Amino acid sequence: MNTPKTRRVLSLSTLFPNPAQPRFGIFVARSLEALQRDTQWDVTVINPIGLPPVALGRYRELAAAAHDSEDFGIRVHRPVFRLIPKIGGRLNPALIARAVLPLVRQLHAQNPFDLVDAQFFYPDGPAAMMIARDLGLPFTVKARGSDIHHWGARRYGRDALLKTARAASGVLAVCKALADDMAMLGMEREKIRVHYTGLDRDLFRPMDHAGLRARLAQTFDVPLTNDDLLLVTVGALIERKGQALVIKALAHLPKGRLLLIGKGEDRASLLALARDVGVADRVHMLGSLDPAVLPPLLSAADAMVLPSASEGLANAWIEALACGTPIVITDAGGAREVVTTPDAGVIVARNCRAVREGIELVTARPRSPEKVAAAVDEFSWAANGRALAAYYDTLV
């Protein structure tokens, strides 16, 4: 669709794919891609790359990724800002604003923006506030979950979140539950609009089960059979996502086999746990996968299990349901806004026994993939982009 462009938004997002992290913040990219493709808004992305004074290890790859490009149909600028890993969190908003302002002023002089947008509440939100003030423009900021729960638990982070929310022309949240959490933190609830995530409906859909597990077994070198109770967990390998609970539950599910999709700092400890509880031969680490690989894995699974400690509204929930796979999740973030019927799955307490019982409950009752997928009928990136455009229109 070649929609005439009549308005321009400058979107600041530390959460955005780059050559070193091609899946990082992919949901932000898809949302802005739909906004650019289908609406009257022309999008420019500033994706600041934080690097310490000496870029070693993983920062070396990030340094090489810090260059401008055309991605998702959008011009993406990647200026570098200096950071102090682990301890420099309170400094990052000002450091980002200082690093990007010369570029932003140049871009604005060449072709003025109408709005400044932050796609993550911290550090992006306070930095966007400084940039918008310099340009004399309104700004908006979106909350996604961890940005509120993590930074809101720190005094300086909470103060920065509240100051940003007060100054913003508009505030978004990915679900109603997160909007309520933001209000509990001290933000004005009436100012917060809910903007649900999108979904690639051409990609994420139920796939025919016939021969699917055999093909996946060969592709991933995993001994899958049709008799297995196949469980999939999609998410970063970190404590908050709760993979350890699923592994412990697996010890009481003799036919269970678990595919862990994602990477993270807990990989080694999760493998050690699997050995300790005697299920190492039934736990398979598949790493970070391209989205095109996910639908057959999800479609082949009996359940997608993700016992998170906190969430906004997890894309993994929506993608699993779209593939016809019920979910077993904890009462985190927007869980109750997604699991609205028994066909969608169950919400359980965050402990090993409850996770196991949830898996048994969901997998004991056959349900058609089409009924499961109906739970997310309203999700699409096109709808997400249109909703974002309509919201932006109210701010300028």
Side-chain angles (χ1 to χ4, degrees):
M1 181 183 297
N2 295 317
T3 305
K5 303 301 177 184
T6 57
R7 287 176 168 164
R8 300 191 73 228
V9 59
L10 174 70
S11 188
L12 180 74
S13 186
T14 54
L15 198 65
F16 200 87
N18 63 61
Q21 301 166 309
R23 310 312 309 164
F24 184 63
I26 187 66
F27 41 89
V28 174
R30 293 301 184 197
S31 178
L32 295 177
E33 178 185 41
L35 180 74
Q36 174 71 28
R37 183 187 63 234
D38 300 334
T39 81
Q40 75 277 24
W41 282 87
D42 183 64
V43 184
T44 297
V45 170
I46 303 287
N47 172 217
I49 302 291
L51 297 175
V54 179
L56 301 175
R58 66 185 181 91
Y59 289 110
R60 185 174 299 162
E61 290 185 12
L62 274 176
H67 58 79
D68 299 349
S69 61
E70 187 89 17
D71 297 320
F72 305 95
I74 301 167
R75 186 63 178 168
V76 182
H77 301 269
R78 294 190 178 90
V80 169
F81 72 96
R82 294 302 173 196
L83 57 74
I84 305 173
K86 298 184 183 291
I87 63 172
R90 69 173 67 235
L91 304 174
N92 286 341
L95 292 173
I96 290 171
R98 184 185 306 166
V100 307
L101 262 173
L103 169 63
V104 166
R105 289 169 182 152
Q106 179 184 349
L107 294 173
H108 187 57
Q110 293 169 351
N111 194 358
F113 297 106
D114 298 288
L115 180 69
V116 175
D117 159 82
Q119 285 286 323
F120 203 62
F121 226 105
Y122 193 93
D124 308 28
M129 176 178 65
M130 299 173 202
I131 293 166
R133 184 181 299 141
D134 185 89
L135 299 182
L137 294 176
F139 81 97
T140 177
V141 58
K142 184 166 185 175
R144 297 184 176 275
S146 61
D147 47 353
I148 298 299
H149 300 136
H150 178 81
W151 295 107
R154 290 156 172 75
R155 178 62 182 270
Y156 74 85
R158 179 178 178 273
D159 290 346
L161 296 179
L162 294 179
K163 181 179 180 181
T164 301
R166 285 193 297 268
S169 297
V171 178
L172 292 177
V174 294
C175 60
K176 294 174 186 176
L178 181 59
D180 292 340
D181 288 347
M182 294 158 70
M184 289 289 290
L185 198 66
M187 297 183 194
E188 183 182 348
R189 180 62 178 85
E190 292 73 20
K191 192 175 184 178
I192 306 169
R193 294 266 295 272
V194 174
H195 182 229
Y196 287 119
T197 188
L199 174 70
D200 186 339
R201 303 206 66 85
D202 293 328
L203 183 61
F204 292 96
R205 53 187 174 77
M207 299 182 68
D208 186 3
H209 275 236
L212 190 54
R213 289 193 178 185
R215 296 198 300 273
L216 292 173
Q218 185 175 18
T219 299
F220 294 100
D221 193 25
V222 173
L224 292 179
T225 71
N226 288 332
D227 293 332
D228 284 337
L229 178 68
L230 183 59
L231 309 174
V232 174
T233 297
V234 182
L237 304 183
I238 55 177
E239 193 282 330
R240 179 171 65 85
K241 294 293 185 178
Q243 290 94 343
L245 294 174
V246 191
I247 291 173
K248 290 177 183 178
L250 199 67
H252 304 282
L253 298 167
K255 289 190 175 181
R257 188 172 298 279
L258 175 62
L259 307 181
L260 292 177
I261 301 172
K263 61 181 182 180
E265 59 194 32
D266 284 3
R267 185 180 189 279
S269 63
L270 291 172
L271 286 172
L273 174 63
R275 290 192 297 270
D276 290 344
V277 300
V279 297
D281 61 328
R282 295 189 282 129
V283 174
H284 308 277
M285 299 277 188
L286 303 189
S288 183
L289 300 177
D290 188 272
V293 182
L294 292 180
L297 287 165
L298 292 170
S299 294
D302 294 295
M304 200 287 289
V305 190
L306 191 65
S308 304
S310 66
E311 289 285 356
L313 193 144
N315 288 69
W317 302 344
I318 307 303
E319 292 168 353
L321 291 170
C323 291
T325 303
I327 58 179
V328 178
I329 61 176
T330 43
D331 195 5
R336 294 179 183 271
E337 296 164 57
V338 175
V339 180
T340 57
T341 68
D343 287 322
V346 294
I347 296 173
V348 300
R350 196 172 190 257
N351 62 67
C352 176
R353 179 177 177 177
V355 170
R356 174 178 57 80
E357 291 176 348
I359 293 169
E360 291 173 335
L361 181 64
V362 162
T363 57
R365 184 175 76 83
R367 62 202 78 199
S368 76
E370 290 72 25
K371 283 188 176 180
V372 176
V376 291
D377 274 349
E378 296 181 2
F379 288 82
S380 74
W381 285 123
N384 176 279
R386 290 193 299 268
L388 189 57
Y391 163 74
Y392 283 170
D393 286 345
T394 67
L395 304 181
V396 298

